[in-house]
Amino acid sequence: MNKEIYNALKDRIIHLDYAPGTILKEQELAAEFGVSRTPLRTVLFRLEWEHLIKILPRTGIFVMELELSTITNVFQARLELEAVIGAMAFTRLSTEQIDRFKELEAECSLVKPEKAPKKLASIDMENKQIFHEAVGNPFLAEMSERLYALTYRLWYFNLLKMDPANWGNEVEAVREDLVILGQCFTSGTPEQLGQARKKQLLKHLERIRSSFLGLSAI
């Protein structure tokens, strides 16, 4: 699979450069990336398997809609998985990775004064990637990454639409997540770290649900 094309298309989808419901044309994508349809289709099949697009015969590529009911089901699947990853990663996190959590916490203060959705989202994404690297199990990491991408889209949508007056609260929620995880690193147990990740994820779901239901229709 062409990783460059895959990463480019996935980034556009999760950051809503391709809005939910958009129809993409295979021929246009092939021309843009300068490839034949065969390598492009391999990428598209992968993205369809990840539930980010739907390939419609004789129509095009449909970017999946953002549906709260679907995302809620994904969150339910993530809850136990993230707890397991947290517990497994506890003894495998390096000093450098733990220090990076502290740096990410500090970076939250830089994005708090002015609304910067992509910067805040990148902090949360790196938080997850550190765990994926530390867990040492590519199958768990891949499954977690795939589910995270689905919930990330809805969260990022909410960040874009968020009232600037509520921005500071969202930044603080992300910072709190890093603080609690940091405390578990220094004085907790594997089980406590896993449960902390699960608890923070539940709070994250509640914020998304509240924000999503308070918005006009997508």
Side-chain angles (χ1 to χ4, degrees), residues 18-44:
Y18 293 149
T22 298
I23 297 292
L24 307 175
K25 299 297 183 181
E26 186 178 322
Q27 186 173 357
E28 292 176 2
L29 291 175
E32 176 188 350
F33 291 106
V35 297
S36 66
R37 291 189 176 185
T38 299
L40 177 62
R41 284 175 180 170
T42 301
V43 171
L44 295 176

Side-chain angles (χ1 to χ4, degrees), residues 24-211:
L24 307 175
K25 299 297 183 181
E26 186 178 322
Q27 186 173 357
E28 292 176 2
L29 291 175
E32 176 188 350
F33 291 106
V35 297
S36 66
R37 291 189 176 185
T38 299
L40 177 62
R41 284 175 180 170
T42 301
V43 171
L44 295 176
F45 289 149
R46 171 72 184 200
L47 292 171
E48 184 176 42
W49 178 73
E50 294 178 358
H51 299 285
L52 292 173
I53 64 171
K54 180 68 176 177
I55 300 174
L56 303 175
R58 297 181 297 279
T59 301
I61 302 110
F62 175 79
V63 179
M64 296 297 286
E65 296 281 3
L66 297 174
E67 299 178 350
L68 185 59
S69 59
T70 299
I71 299 302
T72 299
N73 288 334
V74 174
F75 264 110
Q76 289 174 346
R78 280 190 63 195
L79 283 173
E80 300 303 327
L81 179 63
E82 296 305 316
V84 169
I85 288 176
M88 289 180 63
F90 181 84
T91 57
R92 302 175 183 179
L93 283 160
S94 67
T95 301
E96 291 76 15
Q97 288 171 323
I98 293 174
D99 288 343
R100 183 56 185 151
F101 274 103
K102 297 175 183 177
E103 293 171 359
L104 290 174
E105 179 190 338
E107 287 178 19
C108 285
S109 64
L110 301 178
V111 300
K112 192 171 184 178
E114 185 176 352
K115 186 177 175 183
K118 201 160 191 177
K119 289 183 179 178
L120 181 62
S122 69
I123 292 174
D124 187 73
M125 183 178 287
E126 187 171 350
N127 175 351
K128 304 300 182 294
Q129 289 172 342
I130 290 172
F131 274 96
H132 294 165
E133 292 170 2
V135 73
N137 186 314
F139 297 100
L140 279 177
E142 181 183 46
M143 187 181 301
S144 176
E145 178 65 30
R146 184 160 60 94
L147 295 177
Y148 175 66
L150 296 174
T151 57
Y152 181 96
R153 274 209 315 155
L154 185 54
W155 180 50
Y156 193 73
F157 174 86
N158 285 343
L159 291 182
L160 292 177
K161 299 296 183 181
M162 184 174 290
D163 187 326
N166 297 326
W167 175 252
N169 293 334
E170 191 66 24
V171 175
E172 186 59 27
V174 173
R175 190 192 70 82
E176 179 189 75
D177 189 3
L178 293 163
V179 169
I180 291 174
L181 292 176
Q183 291 171 345
C184 289
F185 295 147
T186 57
S187 60
T189 66
E191 291 71 22
Q192 287 172 336
L193 179 57
Q195 289 305 307
R197 282 171 57 83
K198 184 175 180 179
K199 184 176 181 180
Q200 294 306 110
L201 187 57
L202 279 170
K203 290 182 179 180
H204 187 62
L205 171 59
E206 288 307 312
R207 294 199 314 276
I208 288 179
R209 180 184 286 121
S210 176
S211 178

